[in-house]
Amino acid sequence: MNFRTDLALERKEYIDRHDLDGIVSHRKTVDGITVDTITVTNKEGEKILGKPIGKYITVETVPFTKNSDLFSPSLYVLRDELKSLLPEEKGCVLVAGLGNGEITPDALGPKCISMLFATRHIPEDFAREIGFSSIRPVAGIIPGVLGKTGMESSEIISGIVKKINPCAVIVIDALASRSTDRLGRTVQISDSGISPGSGVGNHRKTISEKSLGVPVIAIGVPTVVDGRTLAFDILKKAGVTEEQINNTDIKDTMMVTPKEIDELIERASRLIAMAINTALHPEINEEDILSVVS
Amino acid sequence: MNFRTDLALERKEYIDRHDLDGIVSHRKTVDGITVDTITVTNKEGEKILGKPIGKYITVETVPFTKNSDLFSPSLYVLRDELKSLLPEEKGCVLVAGLGNGEITPDALGPKCISMLFATRHIPEDFAREIGFSSIRPVAGIIPGVLGKTGMESSEIISGIVKKINPCAVIVIDALASRSTDRLGRTVQISDSGISPGSGVGNHRKTISEKSLGVPVIAIGVPTVVDGRTLAFDILKKAGVTEEQINNTDIKDTMMVTPKEIDELIERASRLIAMAINTALHPEINEEDILSVVS
Amino acid sequence: MNFRTDLALERKEYIDRHDLDGIVSHRKTVDGITVDTITVTNKEGEKILGKPIGKYITVETVPFTKNSDLFSPSLYVLRDELKSLLPEEKGCVLVAGLGNGEITPDALGPKCISMLFATRHIPEDFAREIGFSSIRPVAGIIPGVLGKTGMESSEIISGIVKKINPCAVIVIDALASRSTDRLGRTVQISDSGISPGSGVGNHRKTISEKSLGVPVIAIGVPTVVDGRTLAFDILKKAGVTEEQINNTDIKDTMMVTPKEIDELIERASRLIAMAINTALHPEINEEDILSVVS
Amino acid sequence: MNFRTDLALERKEYIDRHDLDGIVSHRKTVDGITVDTITVTNKEGEKILGKPIGKYITVETVPFTKNSDLFSPSLYVLRDELKSLLPEEKGCVLVAGLGNGEITPDALGPKCISMLFATRHIPEDFAREIGFSSIRPVAGIIPGVLGKTGMESSEIISGIVKKINPCAVIVIDALASRSTDRLGRTVQISDSGISPGSGVGNHRKTISEKSLGVPVIAIGVPTVVDGRTLAFDILKKAGVTEEQINNTDIKDTMMVTPKEIDELIERASRLIAMAINTALHPEINEEDILSVVS
């Protein structure tokens, strides 16, 4: 493939063969929102799609830069899809916000954690006192980036998982998509973990159920297109042949983002954070959550 | 022109005619650093270059992402070029840092102001007491962006200029260049003011000696390439004809930045801020300035 | 007075005489919230209260650190009191957020501006297109602090007022109160402007209708108690005589804040910003405003 | 004791008995800087001082708010004292910056990590290539605060220690001192770890060699005085008796800081970070370190 994408949906679109052994697709529409589910069921599917076995749910929302209600259909669809991947057990969940808070398109993860309703430290007595019969323990971490911490996010998360024994881990990260059209309107939720390489930098090694020992749910939003990917796309649309393209010297050090990336990140972070908060705390009123975390 | 650039030097490279009436160029090398000066001397030059009458000094430094000394030759070359455009009079100078601090490649201006040695409020007595026979009054402002303030930067600056009557205004802004190669290694200093349109957003109307009534020195660093410009460049290099290009539908809502944009901005801001600080306060030791502002 | 407070209500409590010529007080309760209005009507009142002629409205809310609804009675009471001081004319309003964003208890003003719904730059056509028959022009500015800008906030605001000609100015600032009990539960709204000296630093000269030529509404929240004030208070409560107190050497370089000052500022900023937004844009649904600004 | 302090030196000053079994003190002056070393040698000393067995080095610098050279004697004295507590082995060191980055006086730890020269991820080959025969692996983490992460800093650090096996841990934290005079001019370095309770919030459980299994060096700077401690101090100085004081109702929810706390934290963070950087990387020129991290 002459392009880079973190979206299973985009990889599938590219495959031009009919027998997709090991890849099952399903599309539905909920409250006007399209939800695509791609399931990779075996090694053959892994090879074809280039993504590990697991479920990849893609939710297309209205563009994040458009003004939108705080409690929109997108929120509830995301919440429900996220719930469908969470283990039934009501144990502690660790939420990790990957990425570099200093680079706007990569700040999605850190910003989500700043709006997370962390509850693991709240004693049961106190929870009951303030009116909750039970409150699910939730913990949050911003691991930071390799260049500043000297550690892979996967190392930090793995260390914490061993210490606090959550029943599941949710990781949030900015993604790269192939097309600028998807930036700011797509959310991918997956149970296959996160593989190396990312939207912006290389800030992770694999974070998955296999590496951590507990289910890992990855939530990602495409915020950049790889510079080289954009270039190839443009050339292809202009009718330049693959061979010509391969002869072109295009460096791989650039990223492409919308000019209004600050608003996109702000809105996407709030949406993702609230989807996680409402999925993990169904017993708490969402307005109460919002007033606590924002 | 099928591309966008805020650099006079890049516009000139593109002109393919020999008689450049009204445009005078000069190149020199100082301590291994290339300094190009393009002077637009009349209306004809304005038309050819597409830039208003004035001097455009381009300094090529080592890439900002490379580790570099705090007090490098780049700093002194920039300081001296900046000095050459400052009025001789030792009056108050207002420094304005344009741009959106929330978008990494656009945060250059705001970050510079955070490292500015503002002195306008320091009483002469106190200055003498701490060992300075005289201290030049310097003021700094971060005007913010239109979408958040409801005001053009030019309006805010113009209002302040009327109020505090500086002898000159320095405006700092992130620029767009045509080529990704220039990002993070070029500084443009100009005495012609800043015209509408910019590296990242459209956060200004003209800010110039004509509009403000005092000399305006603009300092800019290219931090982005316009998405459309990159696209055209790639197509051209691949041999696609102008006509084919013009038929391509490429949207103008994207920007392209290096993946290490956070470090680029950090280093560029420090370099520009220290060049301004040392140019405006020649009487103060540069280590003292650095310890005050950083 | 052996203490410092920016609240008219606290100054009045301290006056121990019965004939308060030139000072009119009024208390009401709206939706369980106490609203005190003190009006200084003449020079005699100014002398007694130590505050310039004008209206001082004090709203006691629930403590900002308690979880509270986004759209609580406090919001509507504040909105209505603010409206009562705004000129009837529907012209442009400039909102200025004073204070130092780097010092948590002083960051109230800057944080409010970050949640302001600025609209002055939105063309009428566009407003109509997105469904508003008219939209009031609102502009916002964070002037910064003297030590970093070299300019008084009053100079910056005055310059901008001359340039954009608003029909009124709203200034937001952190205040000092006499008692730690008021921190995080009191809002003062006044039409007398802001006089020198403030909650945290000395970041202003007078900003008032007299100095600016347009009505000035000041909104303040006490976020600190002056260190010396706290000391005197403690001594007094312990029965130490005024004379003994005066002999005590207590420096005036300290400030006292609640340990949860970050949450207090976060909530107070949101409350004040939304009170301003809803007062200035009655035609827009408050949920829509919230989704635009937060 | 009717006061709260995290400084061993202040606790010792308070003890009014002559036989200090288990407590050894030593004072020296280096380049005009006073260095006090208090060593608690046994359980009896622990009881008397109220601090665990270990060494407590207190360095009195010039006030952090005074302008000072980047490379001052304070830096070298701190570096050398820190070195004296580091294990001889040249293994990996984990540096943790405790505290709440949103509360200015508590932001010391997070700010230090932002200036840490993290190197654990740099391959040996690359280190040699850029001119270093060897480079010590250093990792850094900002664990965040309990209320936002749901986890104690000690849990996060302990989890990471198990994962990356450092030979020592350095923890940085803002402290409470008894006296406002010490704020912004004292650094405490200790090898006894950090015990619960802190300068600003309650953001930790014990972090020590015993709990982590590797040597722990704690570096702290007093940035606040507890509100209650200040009150007691004032009362005592005014001649109020202990009994009277105990009858006074003084709440424990306030903290006292200098008004210029932003500058204090900025300078203290740079000093501590550079002391750590130069102690851990003696082979690298300090100007090079500074240009990399700031």
Side-chain angles (χ1 to χ4, degrees), chain C residues 174-244:
Chain C
L175 304 179
S177 71
R178 182 190 178 180
S179 151
T180 57
D181 293 342
R182 293 216 189 267
L183 303 182
R185 52 178 305 163
T186 303
V187 180
Q188 177 175 274
I189 310 177
S190 139
D191 62 2
S192 74
I194 285 189
S195 312
S198 87
V200 177
N202 267 316
H203 43 67
R204 48 184 161 148
K205 292 277 164 89
T206 304
I207 300 169
S208 65
E209 177 155 13
K210 206 176 148 189
S211 70
L212 295 184
V214 295
V216 172
I217 299 164
I219 303 179
V221 175
T223 63
V224 298
V225 170
D226 188 75
R228 193 204 288 261
T229 299
L230 180 75
F232 284 142
D233 234 42
I234 290 163
L235 289 169
K236 211 149 186 197
K237 278 185 194 156
V240 179
T241 67
E242 290 268 340
E243 210 195 316
Q244 277 178 295

Side-chain angles (χ1 to χ4, degrees), chain D residues 214-236:
Chain D
V214 294
V216 172
I217 299 165
I219 303 180
V221 175
T223 63
V224 298
V225 170
D226 188 75
R228 192 202 288 262
T229 299
L230 181 75
F232 285 142
D233 235 42
I234 289 164
L235 289 169
K236 212 149 188 196

Side-chain angles (χ1 to χ4, degrees), chain D residues 56-131:
Chain D
Y56 301 87
I57 300 168
T58 314
V59 177
E60 298 244 336
T61 72
V62 290
F64 297 136
T65 47
K66 285 256 175 73
N67 301 340
S68 55
D69 286 340
L70 289 174
F71 306 114
S72 62
S74 304
L75 173 59
Y76 301 116
V77 170
L78 278 173
R79 179 197 62 190
D80 292 344
E81 296 300 328
L82 177 55
K83 268 182 170 175
S84 77
L85 295 188
L86 278 170
E88 292 209 2
E89 180 197 343
K90 282 279 197 170
C92 174
V93 173
L94 172 66
V95 187
L98 308 192
N100 185 345
E102 303 291 309
I103 297 181
T104 316
D106 205 25
L108 180 82
K111 273 197 186 273
C112 281
I113 298 302
S114 75
M115 285 181 270
L116 181 74
F117 188 21
T119 51
R120 182 172 166 275
H121 59 299
I122 301 175
E124 282 219 4
D125 300 7
F126 181 74
R128 261 193 300 273
E129 215 172 276
I130 58 172

